[in-house]
Amino acid sequence: MIDGIISGKLLLAPKTMLNKRGTQYVIAKMQVYGWRGSADLHGDIIAFDSSVCRDLLACQKGAELSLCGIITPLAEINHGQPETVLRITAKVLLHGYVFQQQRGQGRLFSLMA
């Protein structure tokens, strides 16, 4: 498990689910952005926090978003091909994170300089 930030595009619209106790949570699937030439990564998102659930449900299929949370990479076989899937427990939905980083306004690039 890794604490981190990932960005990507929603492949499916977020969906509300209920556990055995009747507590609501949200699941979604996203295409995770990576470096050029890297393998395609898919992320399976799950959110339990009510504000994160509300923010995710406001997003539509194809929306670009960034999530901060617990990331667990898993190796799976999909149609006979090995694939890495990221399981993400979302803690915070970050608005505009990718665009701020591209413009040099994000704190991540200033830490690396």
Side-chain angles (χ1 to χ4, degrees), residues 13-77:
K15 182 178 177 182
T16 302
M17 305 290 285
L18 294 173
N19 66 12
K20 291 179 183 179
R21 295 183 193 152
T23 305
Q24 198 173 9
Y25 64 98
V26 174
I27 59 171
K29 190 166 197 70
M30 74 185 301
Q31 172 74 38
V32 178
Y33 296 150
W35 297 103
R36 289 185 187 120
S38 65
D40 287 341
L41 291 175
H42 291 95
D44 294 333
I45 304 165
I46 189 165
F48 299 102
D49 183 78
S50 60
S51 63
V52 177
C53 290
R54 183 185 62 245
D55 290 346
L56 269 175
L57 289 171
C59 298
Q60 300 295 322
K61 177 182 174 182
E64 294 183 355
L65 53 97
S66 298
L67 298 167
C68 181
I70 302 166
I71 305 167
T72 306
L74 297 172
E76 293 183 352
I77 304 295

